[in-house]
């Protein structure tokens, strides 16, 4: 009478993150590696965008995953594993930032730029946008940058960003707002440049569409 | 209506809904009638849109390997009580705590010299992933510390230290198996507490199951083959042979990583 109420748990079902953490704590040598493999792309995106520097971001991600590995047995289930991992990555980035202020800014070389702004099928547009966004983000204080990376770039809800950064949601909103306001002059040229592409009529308007 | 234009911060706060009531009302009143501020508002929206448009990077392969290696090195430093000690790619070298997923085979390998195990462990894999120099990784675990003994069931895991050679395989298999059998005789005084148990990790168990198709192995020896680290797994063959599989370190339930397979005669 209850219909199809029971959905069998298939033995092949992938363990969720918390299950992997539990297995890791018990000594399963593959659990943490699986966890890393699952989330490393997003964690890498956070690190790279927050630091805008390939080497720094690589070091930060490595530091973060090592910390996470060592701290995993103390992980408590009251946060999502992804939230916890993101928090560790952001903190590792902050550490890197603090160290970086001790040395002059390093110009990003070509390899670094390619990493910051991955190659894509539309090199004239998105690639340049990526580079310009990356450069513009560097103008922001770390806290605003981290908030914008999580909310605007990664698309995480404000509440999730708040949990990751361990501040109230209102603080995230405020940091995002301040950050966007500061970015306007740095990104204005992209808007001006892009506009004609969008406005241009599909039918021949006569004009100078040579 | 306030005639002064709204600055970007105010507009951004307004959009986020974090202006207080009076200021929000005043800003909204101005915005409705001001093209300049509407344009600014659009610029702010465009900022968020541009940020969202940036394509997501994926971790470069070289960074993946670098992180794998760093994690492997961290694993090598892990104190014995903290879990399991492994080398690169998560291969368990010596189990420590009584992890439920790990079957410890005790008592069968007393002929192994402690120093031999240390050498094996410290040498790491042939792939060059080693604990950082200067870190005495092997001091963190006393051999045999883990022999608190779980199950002696799923076959024998040995660390004979043998470097198996293709040309001498039959004799070497017979020799190691003979020694393992000799040591496994029940009632050997204190054998369990003196031996450094080999362990059957979930990975190795998966590997054995995969290549053996469910058969029970006669011998599992984590040793080397032609100078490179390998696991030698021996099943019963025909009445007078052993079915010998030599697998690399990646062998698991998902991948075979077979280096060599052969049948050798049971020499006696």
């Amino acid at each position: 009478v209850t219909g199809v109420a029971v959905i069998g748990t298939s033995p092949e079902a992938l363990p969720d993150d918390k299950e992997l953490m539990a297995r890791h704590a018990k000594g399963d040598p593959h659990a943490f590696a699986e966890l890393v493999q699952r989330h490393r792309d997003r964690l890498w995106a956070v690190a790279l965008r927050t630091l805008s520097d390939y080497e720094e971001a690589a070091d930060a991600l490595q530091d973060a995953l090592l910390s996470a590995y060592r701290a995993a047995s103390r992980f408590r289930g009251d946060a999502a594993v992804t939230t916890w991992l993101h928090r560790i990555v952001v903190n590792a980035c902050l550490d890197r930032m603090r160290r970086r202020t001790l040395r002059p800014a390093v110009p990003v070389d070509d390899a670094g730029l390619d990493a910051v702004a991955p190659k894509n099928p539309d090199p004239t547009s998105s690639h340049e946008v990526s580079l310009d966004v990356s450069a513009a983000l560097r103008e922001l204080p770390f806290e605003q940058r981290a908030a914008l990376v999580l909310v605007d770039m990664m698309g995480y809800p404000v509440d999730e960003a708040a949990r990751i950064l361990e501040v109230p949601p209102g603080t995230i909103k405020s940091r995002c707002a301040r950050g966007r306001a500061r970015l306007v002059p740095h990104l204005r040229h992209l808007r001006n440049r892009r506009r004609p592409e969008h406005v241009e009529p599909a039918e021949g308007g006569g004009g100078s569409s040579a | 209506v306030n005639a002064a234009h709204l600055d970007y911060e105010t507009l951004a706060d307004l959009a986020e809904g974090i202006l207080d009531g009076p200021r929000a009302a005043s800003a909204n009143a101005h915005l409705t009638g001001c093209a300049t501020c509407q344009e600014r508002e659009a610029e702010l929206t465009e900022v968020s849109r541009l940020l969202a448009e940036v394509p997501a990077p994926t971790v470069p392969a070289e960074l993946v390997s670098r992180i794998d290696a760093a994690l492997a090195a961290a694993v090598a430093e892990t104190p014995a009580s903290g879990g399991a000690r492994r080398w690169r790619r998560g291969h368990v070298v010596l189990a420590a705590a009584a992890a439920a997923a790990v079957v410890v085979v005790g008592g069968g390998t007393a002929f192994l010299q402690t120093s031999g195990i240390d050498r094996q462990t410290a040498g790491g894999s042939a792939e060059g992933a080693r604990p950082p120099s200067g870190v005495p990784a092997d001091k963190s675990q006393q051999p045999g510390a883990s022999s608190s003994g779980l199950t002696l069931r799923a076959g024998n895991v040995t660390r004979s230290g043998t470097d198996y050679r293709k040309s001498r395989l039959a004799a070497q298999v017979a020799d190691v198996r003979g020694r393992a059998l000799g040591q496994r005789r029940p009632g050997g005084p204190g054998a369990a507490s003196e031996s450094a148990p080999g362990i059957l990790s979930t990975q190795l168990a998966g590997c054995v199951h995969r290549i053996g198709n469910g058969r029970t192995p006669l011998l599992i020896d984590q040793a080397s083959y032609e100078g490179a680290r390998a696991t030698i797994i021996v099943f019963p063959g025909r009445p007078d042979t052993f079915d010998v599989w030599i697998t690399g370190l990646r062998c698991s339930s998902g991948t075979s990583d077979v280096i060599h397979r052969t049948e050798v005669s049971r020499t006696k």
Side-chain angles (χ1 to χ4, degrees), chain A residues 115-130:
Chain A
V116 172
K119 293 260 194 295
N120 62 66
D122 186 12
T124 56
S125 168
S126 299
H127 188 66
E128 283 174 32
V129 170
S130 302

Side-chain angles (χ1 to χ4, degrees), chain B residues 28-261:
Chain B
N28 274 320
H30 174 87
L31 189 57
T32 4
C34 178
T36 302
C37 287
Q38 285 168 15
E39 176 64 19
R40 289 181 181 180
E41 189 187 35
E43 282 186 287
L44 279 165
T45 310
E46 180 74 1
V47 166
S48 289
R49 204 181 61 72
L50 282 170
L51 291 180
E53 246 179 31
V54 175
T58 52
V59 189
E62 54 134 31
L63 182 55
V64 169
S65 358
R66 179 177 144 188
I67 286 173
D68 282 351
L71 284 171
V75 170
E77 295 170 34
T78 305
S81 59
R85 298 192 49 220
R86 306 145 206 151
W87 73 85
R88 183 178 179 146
R89 292 190 190 148
H91 296 253
V92 177
V93 176
L94 286 170
V102 172
V103 180
V104 176
V105 182
T109 51
F111 62 88
L112 286 169
Q113 293 300 306
T114 295
S115 58
I117 291 175
D118 279 352
R119 263 201 309 280
Q120 278 191 332
T121 308
S125 73
E127 298 150 24
R130 296 169 184 213
S133 57
V135 177
D138 289 288
K139 299 295 178 278
S140 61
Q141 165 149 1
Q142 294 309 308
S146 58
S147 62
S148 54
L150 295 178
T151 332
L152 176 56
R153 199 185 298 161
N156 194 359
V157 180
T158 299
R159 298 172 171 285
S160 69
T162 306
D163 183 21
Y164 289 84
R165 299 284 166 174
K166 193 171 186 174
S167 55
R168 289 189 283 138
L169 209 48
Q172 288 176 312
V173 166
D175 177 47
V176 173
R177 177 163 156 73
R179 282 191 288 164
L181 282 175
Q183 294 295 331
R184 205 193 290 172
R185 230 165 255 132
S193 62
E194 290 167 16
S195 69
I199 62 95
L200 188 60
S201 66
T202 47
Q203 181 192 350
L204 183 51
C207 164
V208 170
H209 185 80
R210 178 187 173 90
I211 65 173
N213 205 14
R215 286 178 292 168
T216 303
L218 300 170
L219 174 71
I220 304 170
D221 189 4
Q222 292 185 313
S224 63
Y225 178 69
E226 302 289 350
R229 288 192 73 95
T231 304
I232 288 73
I233 305 166
V234 180
F235 299 100
R238 288 169 289 171
D240 57 343
T241 63
F242 291 130
D243 182 16
V244 181
W245 296 68
I246 293 150
T247 69
L249 304 179
R250 290 193 309 279
C251 183
S252 70
S253 61
T255 183
S256 300
D257 196 16
V258 172
I259 298 168
H260 184 58
R261 184 198 175 184

